[in-house]
Amino acid sequence: MSISNMQPWLPRVVIVGAGFGGLAAAKKLAGEPLGVTLIDRRNYHLFQPLLYQVATAALSPADIAAPIRGILRNAENCTVLLAKVTGIDPVARTVTTDRGTVPYDHLILATGARHAYFGHDEWEAAAPGLKKIEDATELRRRILIAFERAETESDMAERSRLLTFVVVGGGATGVEMTGAIAELARHALASDFRNIDPRDARVVLVEAGPRVLPVFHPSLSDYAKQTLETMGAEVILNRAVTAVGESGVTLGDDHIESRTVIWAAGVRASPAGKWLDAETDRAGRVIVNPDLSVPTHPDIFVLGDTALLKDEDGRPLPGVATVAEQQGRYVAKLLAARTRGKELPPFRYRNPGILATIGRSRAVAEIGRWRFTGFAAWMLWSFVHIYGLIGFRSRYVVALSWLWAYLTYERGTRLITGSDGAGEPMRPGAEHADHAVVLKRDAA
């Protein structure tokens, strides 16, 4: 079955993926003389940088997600299709989905990335990553269940395993997760139990490289490490994980026993490169032209984590939201310009700076030559992330939640979902219960 454009007289632009890049392109194309179809397997746009706060009970899923249809309700030339893409035929110019085929004149692939376990995909069951709402609610369940089980565990060795949390990967996600778990244990849960003291929890961050936050200036990396340690976390550097299992992680000859391991060590691009039979790098990113088109298919553009494009210094552009958003707007402007017989210069990334939070009133910021730490950086990080959320409701709720947490150390979404609350295995379908609220139209 072929799914036709609602405006068949207009050139057809198909966008796959409603992440930062795909959504930016769709919004920029609103009102242009182009028929746009946006395809995503989920009906909501997710603000991924705050997923870790859902995983650590600071926010609920509805706070960081908004329905795609609500976001694009005023874009009359844009159609939203809820479907899973399974392949692309560049010759026939069609996108194959589980709902049928979608023809295109121009194709934008913004399909993001998935977890990379460096050839050890079997580790995923014991060390889940953080890319989707389902990942965040499952991690929240595991973290909170660990404290609940420790409360009734009489075996001290097992209690120690339950109260040990290991985060693998010292990038921004790993640092933020480590700090958030440390604060959860030492503040939000500190007075909630009778048989255990959550402040005794051991939180360990493992990084294979010589420093955490490697994309930041070394002075900011040192600050982040020292801050985590003052918060009670352990930071292990220059040690690669060699095995992961239900009993914990192995670092060469050493083993850290833990029932909760969180993976934040690497990502791999979506299978877009395989769909196109295009040249990719080791991480599966499609090597693109300066205008983000695929060398063998000038009518196909690849964005964000799925694309490999280097800056003026020959370094690959980072896999961050600002890159994807700028690329999405660029391709949209390029296509709109071509409808008028014009061209644009090659894409150039304008780096607005990088930010990472470590904990309450603690963050790092690097904007050009300027570097900030502490409360000033934390306020800047908070403002940028609140502004980045879509919709007044989300911004208002998140701002109030952070203010309440700052004043009281409380976390308002300490809900265990996906089981009956006693820690039994998740029932089929139960993993979707917690985030059903994002289906509400007024969440936008």
Side-chain angles (χ1 to χ4, degrees):
M1 179 183 70
S2 177
I3 302 173
S4 301
N5 193 304
M6 296 300 292
Q7 296 100 352
W9 60 90
L10 296 176
R12 301 163 298 186
V13 179
V14 174
I15 304 172
V16 181
F20 290 105
L23 190 62
K27 292 166 69 176
K28 194 68 178 179
L29 288 171
E32 296 290 346
L34 295 162
V36 181
T37 300
L38 177 60
I39 306 173
D40 199 283
R41 63 195 300 179
R42 295 178 177 82
N43 78 326
Y44 56 85
H45 167 74
L46 177 64
F47 192 76
Q48 278 193 347
L50 292 180
L51 262 181
Y52 83 96
Q53 295 219 352
V54 175
T56 53
L59 297 174
S60 71
D63 296 336
I64 63 169
I68 302 167
R69 295 184 185 277
I71 299 169
L72 298 175
R73 62 163 60 96
N74 295 323
E76 296 183 358
N77 64 323
C78 185
T79 301
V80 178
L81 175 61
L82 184 67
K84 178 181 178 181
V85 172
T86 57
I88 295 168
D89 188 339
V91 177
R93 290 190 171 186
T94 58
V95 176
T96 304
T97 78
D98 57 359
R99 302 293 301 276
T101 58
V102 184
Y104 68 84
D105 296 304
H106 307 283
L107 176 62
I108 300 174
L109 295 176
T111 45
R114 50 185 175 172
H115 311 304
Y117 290 87
F118 310 113
H120 295 278
D121 291 344
E122 69 276 8
W123 293 354
E124 184 172 7
L130 190 60
K131 284 293 180 183
K132 310 184 297 293
I133 282 180
E134 294 89 341
D135 297 335
T137 53
E138 169 61 9
L139 283 174
R140 184 181 67 189
R141 184 186 77 88
R142 293 191 184 201
I143 292 168
L144 296 179
I145 278 290
F147 287 101
E148 295 292 342
R149 287 179 173 173
E151 172 77 352
T152 57
E153 180 57 60
S154 58
D155 185 293
M156 298 305 293
E158 178 61 17
R159 178 181 290 186
S160 177
R161 294 186 197 99
L162 289 167
L163 292 178
T164 298
F165 302 88
V166 179
V167 180
V168 181
T173 299
V175 167
E176 290 170 348
M177 275 294 302
T178 303
I181 295 173
E183 287 193 334
L184 178 69
R186 285 157 179 76
H187 298 291
L189 300 180
S191 303
D192 288 4
F193 294 86
R194 299 295 175 263
N195 296 324
I196 63 169
D197 185 348
R199 291 171 293 188
D200 293 334
R202 182 187 181 194
V203 184
V204 184
L205 175 62
V206 180
E207 165 57 37
R211 59 190 179 99
V212 299
L213 299 180
V215 299
F216 286 76
H217 189 272
S219 64
L220 299 182
S221 296
D222 292 341
Y223 171 85
K225 177 179 180 294
Q226 293 169 8
T227 301
L228 287 173
E229 290 171 343
T230 62
M231 295 168 64
E234 300 176 34
V235 180
I236 300 175
L237 302 176
N238 295 307
R239 299 293 302 277
V241 171
T242 54
V244 179
E246 292 184 0
S247 64
V249 301
T250 301
L251 314 174
D253 296 331
D254 299 324
H255 184 73
I256 302 175
E257 295 195 345
S258 170
R259 294 300 186 197
T260 307
V261 181
I262 300 166
W263 191 263
V267 295
R268 181 172 180 80
S270 72
K274 293 182 180 179
W275 294 340
L276 301 173
D277 194 23
E279 184 180 2
T280 63
D281 69 351
R282 294 178 60 184
R285 294 176 296 182
V286 178
I287 299 173
V288 296
N289 291 324
D291 66 352
L292 301 172
S293 64
V294 179
T296 54
H297 303 290
D299 55 340
I300 300 177
F301 301 86
V302 185
L303 315 177
D305 291 340
T306 315
L308 174 64
L309 184 65
K310 296 181 179 180
D311 61 17
E312 295 85 350
D313 299 323
R315 296 172 300 186
L317 294 179
V320 295
T322 52
V323 171
E325 287 179 331
Q326 289 184 29
Q327 290 179 338
R329 290 192 292 268
Y330 169 84
V331 171
K333 289 191 291 185
L334 178 65
L335 293 179
R338 287 179 177 175
T339 64
R340 301 176 178 90
K342 300 180 180 179
E343 282 291 336
L344 294 181
F347 173 76
R348 181 180 179 184
Y349 175 55
R350 292 172 173 80
N351 187 357
I354 48 179
L355 304 164
T357 185
I358 307 165
R360 183 178 185 269
S361 301
R362 298 155 174 162
V364 293
E366 186 171 348
I367 303 173
R369 297 181 180 180
W370 296 92
R371 304 184 193 102
F372 306 90
T373 62
F375 183 77
W378 182 75
M379 286 296 295
L380 179 61
W381 178 92
S382 300
F383 174 79
V384 167
H385 284 71
I386 288 175
Y387 181 79
L389 290 166
I390 293 176
F392 172 78
R393 175 191 174 278
S394 293
R395 292 170 182 163
Y396 178 76
V397 170
V398 170
L400 282 183
S401 296
W402 285 351
L403 177 62
W404 177 254
Y406 181 82
L407 295 174
T408 67
Y409 287 100
E410 281 291 328
R411 305 232 170 176
T413 56
R414 301 202 304 267
L415 308 178
I416 297 175
T417 59
S419 73
D420 64 1
E424 277 72 12
M426 186 182 296
R427 298 187 306 275
E431 69 273 18
H432 303 295
D434 186 66
H435 68 276
V437 67
V438 302
L439 300 179
K440 292 185 178 179
R441 187 178 180 87
D442 63 1

